[in-house]
Amino acid sequence: MKIAILTSGGDSAGMNAAVRAIVKCGILKGCEMWIVREGYEGLVRGNDDGGEKAGQKVNDEAEKLVEAELREKRNEITQEPDKNLLHNLRFGDGELLRDGTSEYVGGRTLKGRYIVRVGWDDVRGWFSEGGTLIGTARCAAFRTREGRAAAALNLIKEGIDALVVCGGDGSLTGADLFRSEWPSLIQDLHSQKLITSAQLEAHAHLKLVGLVGSIDNDMSMTDMTIGAPTALQRICEAIDNINSTAYSHSRAFVLEVMGRDCGWLALMAGIAGGADFTFIPEKPPTTMPWEDAMCAEIHRHRAVGKRKTIVIVAEGARDRELNPIRAEYIKDILTDRLGLDTRVTTLGHTQRGGRPCALDRILPTLQGVEAVDALLSATPETPTYMIGVQENKITRVPLMDAVKATRAVGQAMNDKEFEKALDLRGPEFMEMLLGFRAVSSLKDESEKLPANKRLRLGIIHMGAPAGGMNAATRSAVRYCIKQGHIPLAVHNGFRGLLDDNVDQPSWLGVDAWMSRGGSELGTNRTLPSVDLGGVAAKFQQFQFDAVMIIGGFEAFNSLLILDEARKYYPAFHIPMVHLPATISNNVPMTEYSLGSDTSLNALVDACDAIKQSASASRDRVFVVETQGGKCGYIATMGALALGASLVYTPEGGISLDTLRRDVKFLRTRYMLDTPGKSEGRLVIRSEAASSVYTTSVLTKMFVEEGGSLFDARSASLGHTLQGGVPSPIDRSRASRLALRCMSFIEEHHEKLSQKPHKARQAGPETAAVITIQEGDVKWVPVQEMVKHADMANRRGRTNWWAFVTDLVEQLAGKPQFLGAKQSDFPKNLKV
Ligand code: ADP
């Protein structure tokens, strides 16, 4: 199959990762891979030299001639496809794209070719680049039937009838229209004698798949669009920076963020950036006049001593009468009514650009792989699919259903049916909205729970610090204060508890914690078993009605110990929860723990720099050692996000056989690089992958075996992987999970408190771990968890990400390079 890929509409980070994955995966499946420059514009323009005889106006005589030639060509096509990766290594066009020598100049590329074939090596290094390297454009011509007919002709000229479109809902609507019109378009082309009967027959159907590339995260039926996480990251970086200047001058800032008609970016930025107020299109202010409500809220914040105010406005924010709510207007209100020194910051296009974050490399890669599979299995009867991600699984949904559902949200808002719009955005969106309100607003005493429902919550951090621990604590503390509960921060883990190192944090005290890395409470690995009786006594002394332990495997272990000790100590008969937070992501049963996203980003940042240095010396392999204990999650996902050549995990181990093959693979790979144009390559090794084949042993081995082909160096990332500032994904996840923990605690506290104190027997369900399974939040009693834990290796018995290890090697071409025979190589090379 010949597959062409184009990116269209607004650019977004991660588009390159998608193109790269599709090109590589297509080649691995024996397809010929093409890219279309400048989106639909390139498709409509086509190639100056395209099509040779076919495609020029054909008269009947010429048609016969062309048909004979085409029949021959078709025979070629029906032969076994060229599965040899080595024949697909280079076509050069990708290189040209990167060098910028064929940029779009005055509506024409220098070479006058918009549809070009690419090889395996053309897309290397594309991961770390923002935007789209193959170009995108808005194209009016494609909206017309004539334009689409030209596009069809240009594809047929190159013998292509499979297309991947990566873009927003506009681009995908265009794509769907193109596919449905295809049969009639090519009939027209045939009757105009622009294509031959043979071409008409050979390209009767267009196979098409859509990927959603959009920073807005506005597409229905997928949880995340390509580029949205990076855009959110850019916004949060801006808010973090603004926070410090706002604090210094005691200023208010009104930030306008992108998102068109979707409030996802604004809402998530509001949560992750710890904003005071947000305006989003789906939920216009209900209290009118809203200016009064906003001022009252911000005044309450200022009254408790807050020095900074951040208001986030989505570009599509409107009031209930659909009048736009503008940043400048909000600024005037804050200045005039509250006397605040207020500034407006419009983030604009900085939100689009920049290096993609880890998630914007991982998801597009997985989606790209699925897109190629979808094309290969497409028949004229199958619908046009859109590849998305739902509940942590890559999905295929009928493209038009997704576009229709997306349009329905816009329609609902235009019809002022905001409840419906929110409903259509899905339950998680609503949860985030309520969550933002719960942690950002300050309530009066009259709005709090009655005294008999209030509780005292102990919050403890355990194990190594992880991004999001403080964010989770902030949300729990603020929720407690909102409800009238008493949050009690235990400093320095169970050791601190035994030393009475406990205090009551305030609403303002935790204000800046959203963006703080590490652990504000302090953490260590001391388990409660160090002095169970003492711990029980402290639970009684501080009158804990519930306990929240935030941490990794130790936290899970602590909860287990406390649960088992309920037999002896009544003080433990209270709801106790564990919120997983560890960069290793080794807590059983949960797909994500807080900190793992931050850590992946830290890994990607460090390795981008390392790879640059490795590439500068042209022929260098970097062996990068990651943390992660006995769990290879960070190493594996990091390898996928970085396009590493090899990955070694504790689960897979390292053997002499593997090493022998890996050395052969690396030698073959370097041998096939264009001389002088080798690239630096990464090998990711988890710290516990092997006690014998250490990072230093591996590096020395590669140096020895690389000979004149390549050199090797090592880097150990160690604690840098804990990351500095937590990622927005970790922050918002922290907030969401902490609030879920609070509902769990309140519910079980209420049930328990109906019994007299002495008779309280908390069941096993009240000591539980909050997990994410298939994207859903699920509670697992800690006793149940034990069945799924490999206690000796401190990880789960199964890993959802196990398949990624193979994928990393496939996308590096390891099986193909290893399977290559001497005859596959250029004649002058000896393997
Ligand atoms: P996005 O894909 O980000 O939503 P646009 O809405 O601007 O961005 O669409 C990008 C391109 O997709 C347009 O310039 C046009 O070429 C094509 N397109 C959009 N809508 C249609 C449509 N209804 N029919 C045909 N082509 C369309």
Side-chain angles (χ1 to χ4, degrees):
M1 195 184 278
K2 285 188 180 188
I3 301 176
I5 310 150
L6 65 83
T7 52
S8 167
D11 71 300
S12 64
M15 281 181 161
N16 292 322
V19 175
R20 170 190 177 272
I22 294 163
V23 167
K24 292 206 159 193
C25 199
I27 291 174
L28 290 178
K29 304 253 167 157
C31 304
E32 213 180 277
M33 301 309 295
W34 294 67
I35 51 136
V36 181
R37 290 175 183 166
E38 321 301 345
Y40 291 128
E41 184 71 26
L43 209 54
V44 172
R45 287 170 185 256
N47 293 341
D48 284 354
D49 56 351
E52 293 140 29
K53 288 183 193 116
Q56 293 161 8
K57 263 233 183 228
V58 276
N59 59 34
D60 290 343
E61 223 167 283
E63 166 144 8
K64 275 187 207 129
L65 199 84
V66 174
E67 251 188 78
E69 270 177 34
L70 273 163
R71 210 167 304 129
E72 227 171 78
K73 265 203 166 171
R74 255 200 304 152
N75 285 342
E76 263 173 42
I77 294 170
T78 51
Q79 280 165 14
E80 185 59 18
D82 181 9
K83 286 215 170 117
N84 191 338
L85 174 86
L86 304 187
H87 293 167
N88 267 293
L89 270 186
R90 276 181 291 275
F91 286 89
D93 288 302
E95 288 281 336
L96 286 180
L97 284 172
R98 280 202 85 187
D99 294 347
T101 43
S102 57
E103 77 265 33
Y104 190 60
V105 179
R108 293 177 58 83
T109 61
L110 287 181
K111 288 171 70 193
R113 286 176 62 79
Y114 287 91
I115 306 174
V116 290
R117 182 156 176 209
V118 282
W120 184 265
D121 279 352
D122 292 324
V123 291
R124 73 186 188 189
W126 281 28
F127 261 138
S128 51
E129 311 254 357
T132 164
L133 286 164
I134 63 176
T136 176
R138 313 260 177 204
C139 171
F142 197 75
R143 292 180 186 271
T144 66
R145 192 174 158 88
E146 294 72 36
R148 294 190 290 275
L153 178 60
N154 287 326
L155 282 177
I156 293 179
K157 280 180 188 175
E158 303 298 347
I160 300 167
D161 55 17
L163 188 64
V164 184
V165 175
C166 180
D169 62 338
S171 307
L172 296 182
T173 309
D176 192 69
L177 184 62
F178 190 43
R179 189 197 180 203
S180 58
E181 271 184 0
W182 180 271
S184 71
L185 289 175
I186 60 170
Q187 278 296 345
D188 288 358
L189 293 174
H190 183 250
S191 41
Q192 291 163 29
K193 299 206 176 327
L194 287 168
I195 58 169
T196 67
S197 309
Q199 285 175 315
L200 179 69
E201 190 197 329
H203 301 290
H205 296 282
L206 175 69
K207 299 171 198 80
L208 198 142
V209 166
L211 292 182
V212 203
S214 161
I215 65 164
D216 307 330
N217 203 21
D218 54 353
M219 184 64 84
S220 299
M221 298 172 82
T222 181
D223 295 344
M224 195 72 88
T225 58
I226 296 171
T230 304
L232 182 61
Q233 184 122 0
R234 290 294 99 78
I235 295 171
C236 284
E237 282 162 10
I239 299 177
D240 292 349
N241 294 339
I242 282 174
N243 261 325
S244 44
T245 173
Y247 183 85
S248 309
H249 294 268
S250 189
R251 274 187 187 139
F253 273 85
V254 185
L255 253 89
E256 187 185 295
V257 302
M258 284 185 162
R260 292 205 288 196
D261 287 336
C262 181
W264 187 85
L265 277 177
L267 177 58
M268 297 297 279
I271 294 170
D276 297 76
F277 216 83
T278 55
F279 291 95
I280 59 169
E282 295 85 350
K283 181 80 182 159
T286 28
T287 324
M288 291 302 258
W290 60 262
E291 292 87 342
D292 292 356
M294 175 184 74
C295 287
E297 183 67 54
I298 289 172
H299 179 70
R300 275 197 292 271
H301 296 182
R302 288 275 169 171
V304 293
K306 202 163 187 279
R307 282 178 61 84
K308 63 180 170 68
T309 301
I310 305 279
V311 176
I312 297 184
V313 200
E315 64 180 345
R318 291 177 290 187
D319 68 14
R320 299 198 83 77
E321 292 311 312
L322 304 182
N323 305 305
I325 298 179
R326 299 258 181 255
E328 282 295 335
Y329 177 66
I330 299 170
K331 175 197 146 189
D332 292 343
I333 297 287
L334 293 179
T335 312
D336 298 345
R337 297 213 198 158
L338 297 179
L340 295 176
D341 178 5
T342 312
R343 307 291 158 103
V344 170
T345 302
T346 304
L347 294 180
H349 285 79
T350 55
Q351 295 162 74
R352 278 196 186 281
R355 289 170 48 250
C357 65
L359 200 57
D360 263 332
R361 302 175 186 216
I362 293 168
L363 284 182
T365 302
L366 297 175
Q367 290 175 329
V369 171
E370 182 72 13
V372 174
D373 279 346
L375 280 182
L376 288 172
S377 59
T379 67
E381 286 72 41
T382 46
T384 311
Y385 284 117
M386 176 188 97
I387 311 297
V389 51
Q390 274 173 316
E391 300 179 342
N392 202 27
K393 280 210 173 64
I394 304 297
T395 53
R396 285 179 203 184
V397 292
L399 190 149
M400 260 350 258
D401 291 358
V403 171
K404 254 189 226 148
T406 308
R407 297 266 152 90
V409 188
Q411 192 56 50
M413 288 190 282
N414 286 336
D415 297 342
K416 301 182 191 169
E417 294 182 48
F418 300 106
E419 295 288 321
K420 185 175 165 193
L422 265 179
D423 216 34
L424 289 168
R425 285 269 184 248
E428 197 178 323
F429 193 91
M430 190 65 196
E431 188 181 352
M432 284 301 190
L433 184 61
L434 294 176
F436 172 72
R437 300 255 166 99
V439 297
S440 65
S441 60
L442 253 176
K443 297 281 181 230
D444 292 333
E445 195 55 33
S446 61
E447 293 169 274
K448 296 181 177 174
L449 290 178
N452 62 350
K453 290 200 170 176
R454 297 185 185 180
L455 55 85
R456 293 167 66 87
L457 169 74
I459 306 172
I460 307 178
H461 291 182
M462 279 286 298
M469 277 181 155
N470 298 324
T473 309
R474 176 188 191 264
S475 293
V477 166
R478 287 210 160 171
Y479 181 85
C480 281
I481 294 168
K482 169 182 158 289
Q483 297 287 75
H485 303 316
I486 294 178
L488 294 159
V490 179
H491 295 263
N492 208 13
F494 283 97
R495 217 187 294 150
L497 178 68
L498 291 168
D499 293 341
D500 290 343
N501 202 344
V502 178
D503 65 19
Q504 188 179 340
S506 68
W507 190 89
L508 191 61
V510 296
D511 191 38
W513 286 21
M514 213 56 182
S515 56
R516 295 237 177 113
S519 158
E520 287 290 317
L521 300 189
T523 176
N524 55 55
R525 296 182 194 276
T526 307
L527 295 171
S529 46
V530 65
D531 178 6
L532 263 176
V535 170
K538 294 297 168 188
F539 271 40
Q540 263 172 343
Q541 179 189 326
F542 293 105
Q543 299 169 38
F544 288 160
D545 294 308
V547 162
M548 180 191 279
I549 312 173
I550 306 174
F553 211 86
E554 277 85 7
F556 158 57
N557 216 345
S558 302
L559 181 59
L560 190 63
I561 293 166
L562 294 176
D563 180 45
E564 282 169 357
R566 278 175 168 172
K567 289 191 277 265
Y568 313 109
Y569 301 104
F572 300 143
H573 281 273
I574 54 174
M576 295 185 287
V577 298
H578 165 210
L579 170 48
T582 159
I583 69 159
S584 314
N585 203 20
N586 61 344
V587 176
M589 297 192 78
T590 189
E591 284 156 12
Y592 299 104
S593 46
L594 300 183
S596 55
D597 185 64
T598 303
S599 183
L600 274 177
N601 281 321
L603 176 64
V604 161
D605 284 350
C607 287
D608 274 354
I610 288 174
K611 206 168 174 182
Q612 213 171 47
S613 134
S615 290
S617 30
R618 293 287 176 222
D619 50 3
R620 187 163 283 175
V621 170
F622 252 99
V623 184
V624 176
E625 183 180 292
T626 68
Q627 286 192 331
K630 291 275 180 69
C631 177
Y633 174 82
I634 288 291
T636 309
M637 290 315 241
L640 187 70
L642 286 154
S645 300
L646 296 165
V647 56
Y648 299 111
T649 62
E651 289 85 352
I654 309 181
S655 72
L656 207 47
D657 266 355
T658 330
L659 286 178
R660 194 170 290 136
R661 280 160 20 107
D662 290 349
V663 165
K664 185 178 172 213
F665 160 58
L666 285 176
R667 285 182 58 86
T668 317
R669 188 52 275 219
Y670 273 95
M671 220 176 275
L672 286 163
D673 279 337
T674 313
K677 283 199 164 179
S678 284
E679 80 173 316
R681 294 197 161 87
L682 286 175
V683 172
I684 310 274
R685 182 188 173 281
S686 203
E687 59 184 359
S690 161
S691 54
V692 176
Y693 303 113
T694 58
T695 302
S696 139
V697 170
L698 283 190
T699 313
K700 284 181 190 154
M701 192 178 293
F702 289 145
V703 171
E704 182 67 15
E705 299 293 327
S708 60
L709 281 170
F710 61 88
D711 169 29
R713 292 280 192 281
S714 65
S716 180
L717 297 182
H719 288 76
T720 53
L721 285 187
Q722 282 169 9
V725 178
S727 75
I729 298 285
D730 270 333
R731 298 187 207 178
S732 52
R733 195 176 275 154
S735 187
R736 178 179 179 215
L737 294 181
L739 294 177
R740 285 282 189 116
C741 288
M742 290 310 305
S743 337
F744 179 92
I745 286 169
E746 282 180 339
E747 182 195 325
H748 287 287
H749 171 70
E750 170 139 18
K751 275 189 210 153
L752 277 172
S753 56
Q754 280 157 8
K755 294 184 192 137
H757 228 290
K758 289 233 162 94
R760 284 183 196 172
Q761 283 288 324
E765 74 287 355
T766 59
V769 185
I770 189 164
T771 64
I772 302 178
Q773 296 180 38
E774 299 194 340
D776 265 351
V777 177
K778 292 206 172 103
W779 284 100
V780 184
V782 69
Q783 293 293 350
E784 173 74 24
M785 208 63 172
V786 179
K787 296 178 201 151
H788 299 267
D790 174 350
M791 295 301 274
N793 285 313
R794 294 163 39 90
R795 64 185 183 220
R797 285 188 191 281
T798 52
N799 305 312
W800 66 269
W801 46 268
F803 72 98
V804 176
T805 320
D806 278 346
L807 186 60
V808 169
E809 299 203 333
Q810 279 167 25
L811 290 176
K814 182 174 154 187
Q816 280 73 17
F817 284 104
L818 277 176
K821 300 182 288 295
Q822 182 65 57
S823 57
D824 295 327
F825 290 86
K827 290 200 179 56
N828 54 347
L829 276 182
K830 285 249 173 304
V831 205

